[in-house]
Amino acid sequence: MVPALDLFLQTLLNGLLIGGVIATFTIGFQLAFGVLHVIDFAVGGWVVLGGYLGYYMAAGLGVDGFLAIPVAFVLFGAIGYLIGPILYNVRNSRTARPELMALALTFGLFTLLRGGMLTAWGFNTHSVPTALSGESLAVGPVTVPLIRVAAAVFAIAIAGGLFLFLYRTRYGLAIRATAENRQNAALMGVNIRRLSANVYGLYAGITAMAGVLMGAIFSVNPEVGLRYTLFAFFVAVLAGLGSVGGALVAALLLGVIEAFVATYVGSSYSLLAIFATLFLVLLLSPSGILRHGL
Amino acid sequence: MKQRRTGLLLLIGVIIVLALLPMLVNNYWLRIATGALMWAGLACSWNMLGGYAGYINFGHSAFFGLGAYVTALLMGDKLAWPFFATVPAGIVVTALFAIMIGAPTLRLRGAYFAIATWAFAEVLIQFTSVMDFTGGIGGIGLPPFLDERFFYFAMFGAAALTYLITWALFERSRFGLKVKALRDHEPAAEAIGINTSLVKLQTFVLSAVTASVFGAIFAYWVTFINPKSVFGGDITDQMVVMVLLGGLGSLWGPALGGVGLFVVNRVIWMYWGDTAFYIAILGAAIVLVVLFMPNGIAGLFSRDGAKSGAVLDKAVGKVVGDGQGGPN
């Protein structure tokens, strides 16, 4: 095959695989927005914390990085479960501007996480070692790092599980109902406050799990959280805030855009390209271009 | 009436002290005073949109930085513009960018605007870091001008003007009423014929432009800027904390919060230097103020400050289903 075409396919595949991992935490992000009506600046913070958990479990306990994935879910799910009600109370308080206050709260939380991590762990970059690190798989002319394949498989499993949960269980129905109209959902007997806590916990857990994988594929330091927050926002804007179906498509698109810019233009331009796309979408179709509703 | 006279006397006293300050203190303290005035002014500039119009701008450092970079580039060796000519240039550039960001996003929910402004500032960091003409990550130098008094009075003038404009426009004019009306109930404001999109955009541009003036003076003052030092998220974080601490939408709150936090910042800097711990403190301050003091310091003194107690109860643990939770 033509080398140029090989590179193209390679880039496309890489982008799709990364997009899959991005999809896992952006779906959670959208879900949290749908239920809580707060955009969570802290999303990048949860990703980075997951990555650090993986690194410290591998470096400190000597276990494989993959083992950190379930631990991340339980640990950060619990933390999210505790934070959820606070966020809910601020968002629904009778201050003059609850939306603004809730936004400020997540922004403060993100800043607190970033500053705390910088203080505790410094600016150094770490990578999460796993059994698959360094291995790669050849598919025809294209070689893919095995860790990315594993991450994509994980992403598909999580996304699939989440969709089954949302569309096939009674609790999933309650979540969707709340996202659509919280007053009517409350009238039908949904305890919105408890549901918000559960959803935020679920979202924080999933995000931290994705963080372990991101730490294994790339690497982790406290400052990369900004990048993941931008990713979540990009997907939210493209898909329309709160749209879960669109988030999957938008995340894959994001992965591909990033991979192509990084390969063909230079990785320092990838954030620029992402922002340019984001801005164009805001300008042309402000409510998102992939909107399907939840 | 009596209260008002006390306030006026206090204001005149503060102005006299500030005007005489360069004769009273040495250069070290004058620099600190210059910084305090800059931050008080920046907090006020953020408050125009955040406090009066109710739209949170998480990328205000973008406009501060644009002012700084325009001045730095125009005063460089090739162009060698005089400082006072670069300020209006910075204002024009900033206004154009503010319209570009604000026009599409201010029509939407606050969340989109917060995203767009935050992303804009992050991207300007990236942009100035990769471009050659901005000096890349290394940054860019300006011709040094080492007259502390000049910069003190420049910041003093800019801050005084910012507060004067805020007072005249937001506290004493129809425009201010429009802005507050749309903050408190946007559909109602539209229903009585206010062009809310236009008013929001005007407020945003004004807020951005004032930040750029401080950026221009700052660049000339420190004679060397780089992407992180003028666009960095910490700058916005600091403004947010100052305004929240002082009191959203109050005229004097940002001044109190600005000077107060700046003093804390300098004390920390004296003992520990540039520390990441300060970022954690800023974050914790935002969280604590939102949870326990949503009306800020100004709220403690105002007549409806009593509300803040009720809000505290809510934050700690009551279930409210008042139907206010819907989008916007």
Side-chain angles (χ1 to χ4, degrees):
Chain A
M1 266 218 248
V2 200
L5 189 62
D6 287 357
L7 186 64
F8 180 85
L9 286 175
Q10 175 96 47
T11 312
L12 185 67
L13 193 59
N14 267 336
L16 286 174
L17 294 178
I18 293 302
V21 186
I22 297 172
T24 55
F25 69 85
T26 50
I27 288 173
F29 178 84
Q30 294 284 68
L31 207 59
F33 180 86
V35 172
L36 280 157
H37 292 296
V38 179
I39 58 162
D40 188 16
F41 269 87
V43 55
W46 302 125
V47 175
V48 173
L49 279 171
Y52 268 101
L53 180 78
Y55 168 73
Y56 277 109
M57 276 184 67
L61 304 174
V63 295
D64 193 90
F66 282 128
L67 277 177
I69 292 177
V71 180
F73 183 75
V74 174
L75 181 63
F76 292 103
I79 294 174
Y81 180 79
L82 295 177
I83 293 176
I86 301 176
L87 208 54
Y88 177 84
N89 285 339
V90 171
R91 182 65 182 84
N92 295 287
S93 66
R94 265 185 246 147
T95 30
R97 298 168 283 275
E99 190 191 13
L100 204 120
M101 282 309 195
L103 210 59
L105 181 66
T106 66
F107 185 71
L109 187 63
F110 180 46
T111 310
L112 177 61
L113 290 178
R114 189 166 71 93
M117 287 190 285
L118 281 171
T119 309
W121 301 320
F123 290 83
N124 290 340
T125 296
H126 300 290
S127 192
V128 180
T130 63
L132 299 177
S133 304
E135 308 277 333
S136 57
L137 180 75
V139 189
V142 180
T143 50
V144 210
L146 216 49
I147 178 75
R148 292 190 181 211
V149 179
V153 169
F154 164 84
I156 291 166
I158 289 288
L162 208 55
F163 277 108
L164 279 180
F165 172 62
L166 282 177
Y167 288 91
R168 285 281 175 272
T169 65
R170 251 183 101 72
Y171 205 73
L173 183 68
I175 294 177
R176 286 188 294 133
T178 308
E180 204 162 285
N181 188 325
R182 62 164 58 201
Q183 248 172 334
N184 287 353
L187 287 172
M188 294 298 122
V190 178
N191 183 339
I192 310 281
R193 188 163 180 270
R194 197 189 297 156
L195 185 121
S196 301
N198 287 336
V199 167
Y200 196 84
L202 183 71
Y203 143 76
I206 291 175
T207 307
M209 286 199 289
V212 178
L213 289 169
M214 282 303 200
I217 298 172
F218 301 107
S219 54
V220 61
N221 77 54
E223 294 286 15
V224 293
L226 295 169
R227 192 181 174 82
Y228 294 125
T229 298
L230 181 68
F231 283 3
F233 287 174
F234 176 91
V235 169
V237 167
L238 230 63
L241 271 169
S243 156
V244 169
L248 186 65
V249 184
L252 292 176
L253 193 66
L254 170 65
V256 172
I257 292 177
E258 221 224 340
F260 272 96
V261 174
T263 309
Y264 290 97
V265 188
S267 57
S268 50
Y269 291 90
S270 62
L271 283 186
L272 275 181
I274 289 169
F275 180 74
T277 319
L278 191 149
F279 187 69
L280 228 71
V281 172
L282 276 176
L283 203 64
L284 300 175
S285 170
S287 54
I289 50 175
L290 303 163
R291 192 164 187 85
H292 293 300
L294 195 65
Chain B
M1 209 51 207
K2 198 168 182 190
Q3 233 179 357
R4 198 147 167 211
R5 197 180 300 160
T6 329
L8 195 67
L9 283 175
L10 196 68
L11 177 67
I12 294 173
V14 169
I15 291 175
I16 292 175
V17 170
L18 286 176
L20 294 177
L21 201 67
M23 279 155 242
L24 303 173
V25 298
N26 61 22
N27 270 353
Y28 177 78
W29 289 104
L30 198 61
R31 271 188 88 84
I32 290 183
T34 311
L37 282 170
M38 179 179 96
W39 282 105
L42 282 173
C44 184
S45 124
W46 190 89
N47 190 39
M48 288 176 187
L49 192 73
Y52 289 105
Y55 273 74
I56 285 207
N57 177 350
F58 281 125
H60 208 44
S61 61
F63 304 110
F64 177 75
L66 277 173
Y69 262 94
V70 168
T71 292
L73 289 171
L74 290 179
M75 288 183 79
D77 296 335
K78 270 179 243 156
L79 295 161
W81 282 31
F83 171 70
F84 284 106
T86 67
V87 177
I91 287 177
V92 171
V93 171
T94 314
L96 287 176
F97 273 108
I99 292 169
M100 209 175 82
I101 301 291
T105 54
L106 281 169
R107 286 182 283 129
L108 307 167
R109 267 185 241 166
Y112 282 103
F113 178 72
I115 290 177
T117 48
W118 182 81
F120 180 57
E122 288 302 317
V123 159
L124 279 180
I125 295 182
Q126 297 295 321
F127 181 79
T128 45
S129 300
V130 295
M131 287 298 153
D132 284 333
F133 75 96
T134 57
I137 295 176
I140 183 169
L142 289 90
F145 180 63
L146 305 169
D147 183 349
E148 285 302 333
R149 287 184 181 195
F150 169 80
F151 290 109
Y152 175 79
F153 281 113
M155 287 292 188
F156 181 33
L161 203 62
T162 307
Y163 277 90
L164 191 67
I165 289 172
T166 308
W167 177 75
L169 267 183
F170 293 97
E171 302 278 353
R172 284 288 176 276
S173 79
R174 284 179 68 84
F175 181 75
L177 289 176
K178 286 183 191 173
V179 174
K180 286 178 193 167
L182 78 86
R183 173 192 69 190
D184 292 340
H185 205 294
E186 204 162 326
E190 259 165 34
I192 58 166
I194 298 172
N195 184 348
T196 53
S197 299
L198 181 69
V199 171
K200 280 185 276 185
L201 192 62
Q202 286 167 332
T203 310
F204 180 44
V205 170
L206 184 67
S207 151
V209 157
T210 35
S212 88
V213 174
F214 287 103
I217 304 173
F218 177 77
Y220 195 26
W221 182 33
V222 299
T223 70
F224 184 80
I225 56 169
N226 64 47
K228 284 265 173 192
S229 79
V230 291
F231 289 124
D234 313 347
I235 294 172
T236 308
D237 295 356
Q238 206 155 291
M239 285 187 246
V240 176
V241 179
M242 285 166 173
V243 176
L244 285 178
L245 207 60
L248 265 171
S250 91
L251 181 62
W252 298 112
L256 292 175
V259 174
L261 188 70
F262 185 72
V263 170
V264 173
N265 171 306
R266 287 296 93 182
V267 170
I268 291 176
W269 185 82
M270 256 189 300
Y271 285 101
W272 294 285
D274 275 322
T275 162
F277 189 55
Y278 183 62
I279 301 174
I281 293 178
L282 286 180
I286 298 179
V287 170
L288 291 176
V289 169
V290 168
L291 289 183
F292 301 111
M293 212 171 64
N295 294 317
I297 298 170
L300 300 177
F301 295 101
S302 79
R303 246 170 271 137
D304 41 59
K307 274 189 205 152
S308 55
V311 169
L312 199 148
D313 289 345
K314 299 280 147 40
V316 184
K318 264 191 187 168
V319 189
V320 212
D322 57 357
Q324 289 285 310
N328 213 8

